[in-house]
Amino acid sequence: MLTKNNENQPKVELVLIENLVKKDHILRKIDEYIDFNFIYDLVEDKYYLDNGRPSVDPVVLFKIILIGYLFGIRSERRLIEEIHHNVAYRWFLGYGLEDKIPGASTISQNRRRRFTGTDIFEKIFDNIVGQAIKHKLITGKVMYVDSTHIKANANIGKFTNEQVEVALPEYVDELEKAVTEAREAHGQKELKKNKKPVEVKNRKVSTTDSDSGYMFRDRKPKGFFYLNHMAVDGENNLIASVLPTTAAINDAVPFLGIVEKLKERYNVKYVGADAGYYTTAIAKGLKELGITASIAKRLGPKPKGKMSKLNFVYIEERDIYVCPQDHSLNYKTTTREGYKEYRSQNNICKECPIREKCIYDKQTARTIRRHVWQEYLTEIDRFKEKTELGARIYKRRKETIERAFADLKELHGFRYARFRGIEKMKEQCLLTAAAYNIKKIATILGIYLRNFIYYCWNFNVFSYSNTF
């Protein structure tokens, strides 16, 4: 039967806003399991205590911002409009149906004038992580580290080409020492010391947002981006660390610094990462930190149809490589970059039956390069490929940090930078990660409670006889 609603004017009703919010709404779970009162202590020195106009409650102010990051609302004006019409948002903030919501300018001005240049957002993120640790949702035993790109709020066509100084890696002196030892062991002279403290490179610098970096990578979009280097805990996939940087640096540059901080706070035992972090410097650094890593192997470029380095076997006792035809490649030299070169003999390669698959064009012999710190990478390969634990840790990488990146971008508006500048980008990264963690903590604790009640009900824990 067709039914029409002919009442244009709603009836006057007496309702409780509490009854208008569904029992399983995510904001109900967040309100039940997350404690926001710590914010009062964090912002106390940012307000006058005995004069001035009454302010918006700091907890309410943060909750308003949190709603934007929770539900991927990028515009603060739209956020206020959504809160005005959404009963669940009003309930979460403690507003009635007719209470006036603070204006968008109130939110933005507090954020810009009161909190910019402070560590308030970092402390909020750390406190949320602390609450997860308190509930034993973060163990710190296994951490996964990776980075994702965020499109900068910058025009791709507005840039200048500038000469930018790039500092040499911190391990340069240590590498030079290892190179010298390798050369002296084979009776070669020491190379002249590299006196350049910095390296100068030509880079595109955005005139819209100079802190962003131009990204030009295979299978990645081109343009100005930021990178968010992130670590998630392997237990419940909660974010334990965030570090935004320009996209103009290599992913591997801040890796050891991130892991070192994770080690100090969580006493990390294992780390999982993709092939972008498969470097000798990282392998050596992890060994010195006492952390076992499961990292995907990176083979490096080679001409199509040619045999890779993996077809050659290294004999450590003799310090030589052996080719598939059982001929040796002997040590030739050690380069400044830390690579020991092993070369085959021209007369043997000339008559080799698999020469076409082995020797590169315009060459008469095959050269294999081995880094002076290669043994650290070999140890990582052995753990990942030869142990069940190593294989399991790496397999979970796509289920943990890759899933976290997908949720952040798809659900929390993390594909695009909301602001300009690295400091504002840090704010977005921290608050997005805090919103993600808050949502996940509340969801997990809600499931634990439901399972506990189910267990007690089915096993008569609440029966009359067990009460006494």
Side-chain angles (χ1 to χ4, degrees), residues 134-398:
K134 181 180 179 181
H135 290 295
K136 299 182 179 179
L137 300 181
I138 292 180
T139 63
K141 183 179 180 181
V142 182
M143 288 285 180
Y144 293 90
V145 180
D146 203 352
S147 71
T148 188
H149 56 275
I150 306 103
K151 191 178 186 309
N153 186 4
N155 190 326
I156 189 174
K158 294 184 177 181
F159 63 87
T160 58
N161 288 308
E162 299 182 9
Q163 298 292 321
V164 180
E165 292 185 351
V166 181
L168 296 176
E170 296 180 356
Y171 57 82
V172 166
D173 292 338
E174 197 172 354
L175 179 61
E176 288 183 346
K177 181 180 178 181
V179 169
T180 299
E181 291 175 353
R183 292 179 66 86
E184 289 178 348
H186 291 84
Q188 294 181 325
K189 294 182 179 180
E190 179 182 354
L191 296 173
K192 292 182 179 180
K193 194 172 183 64
N194 189 356
K195 297 181 179 181
K196 295 191 302 181
V198 295
E199 184 179 0
V200 179
K201 291 185 177 181
N202 184 44
R203 283 183 178 171
K204 293 181 179 180
V205 178
S206 171
T207 56
T208 310
D209 183 359
S210 59
D211 287 346
S212 63
Y214 189 81
M215 188 169 68
F216 184 82
R217 304 184 186 182
D218 293 338
R219 293 172 294 182
K220 298 289 185 181
K222 299 177 183 178
F224 292 102
F225 289 83
Y226 285 96
L227 290 179
N228 182 37
H229 307 268
M230 199 168 77
V232 302
D233 182 64
E235 186 71 18
N236 289 294
N237 204 21
L238 287 162
I239 300 173
S241 170
V242 294
L243 177 65
T245 66
T246 172
I249 69 169
N250 189 284
D251 290 346
V253 172
F255 181 85
L256 287 176
I258 294 171
V259 175
E260 187 174 0
K261 291 181 179 179
L262 292 173
K263 176 75 174 180
E264 293 174 359
R265 180 166 187 179
Y266 305 102
N267 194 26
V268 179
K269 302 295 183 184
Y270 303 96
V271 167
D274 65 12
Y277 302 96
Y278 188 80
T279 70
T280 52
I282 284 178
K284 182 176 182 296
L286 290 173
K287 180 69 174 180
E288 293 171 349
L289 288 172
I291 295 176
T292 305
S294 182
I295 303 177
K297 181 182 291 186
R298 183 169 57 186
L299 302 180
K302 71 176 183 66
K304 186 177 181 180
K306 301 294 184 179
M307 291 189 302
S308 73
K309 176 182 175 180
L310 297 180
N311 295 101
F312 296 77
V313 179
Y314 179 68
I315 308 299
E316 186 175 359
E317 296 79 10
R318 299 171 58 190
D319 192 23
I320 64 169
Y321 271 92
V322 177
C323 76
Q325 296 295 306
D326 292 329
H327 296 294
S328 64
L329 284 78
N330 299 317
Y331 173 86
K332 181 183 178 182
T333 187
T334 302
T335 67
R336 184 181 301 277
E337 292 75 23
Y339 288 98
K340 298 166 70 175
E341 294 185 350
Y342 299 81
R343 184 180 174 86
S344 61
Q345 299 179 39
N346 293 352
N347 58 337
I348 295 178
C349 292
K350 185 177 181 180
E351 306 297 331
C352 182
I354 61 172
R355 172 186 172 85
E356 296 301 322
K357 294 182 179 180
C358 181
I359 305 301
Y360 294 169
D361 296 340
K362 298 181 181 180
Q363 293 186 356
T364 58
R366 180 65 185 264
T367 299
I368 298 294
R369 304 174 77 200
R370 179 183 178 85
H371 201 275
V372 291
W373 292 337
Q374 180 65 37
E375 65 269 17
Y376 298 107
L377 281 179
T378 303
E379 189 173 338
I380 289 177
D381 295 339
R382 191 180 300 116
F383 175 69
K384 175 181 175 293
E385 299 171 2
K386 304 296 183 181
T387 67
E388 182 182 353
L389 177 60
R392 189 165 68 247
I393 288 175
Y394 183 75
K395 184 179 180 181
R396 285 213 66 222
R397 190 191 69 84
K398 61 183 179 181

Side-chain angles (χ1 to χ4, degrees), residues 30-85:
I30 292 174
D31 186 69
E32 180 177 0
Y33 295 112
I34 304 299
D35 179 19
F36 294 104
N37 289 326
F38 69 91
I39 294 176
Y40 291 122
D41 295 331
L42 294 183
V43 302
E44 186 176 2
D45 60 338
K46 307 294 188 300
Y47 291 84
Y48 291 108
L49 299 180
D50 54 1
N51 63 3
R53 291 185 299 174
S55 67
V56 177
D57 187 319
V59 171
V60 173
L61 187 66
F62 172 71
K63 283 184 174 181
I64 290 175
I65 299 174
L66 173 64
I67 289 173
Y69 285 98
L70 270 174
F71 299 100
I73 305 172
R74 298 179 62 226
S75 167
E76 289 178 344
R77 290 187 179 277
R78 186 188 157 208
L79 172 61
I80 297 303
E81 185 177 346
E82 292 289 334
I83 293 173
H84 178 80
H85 295 291

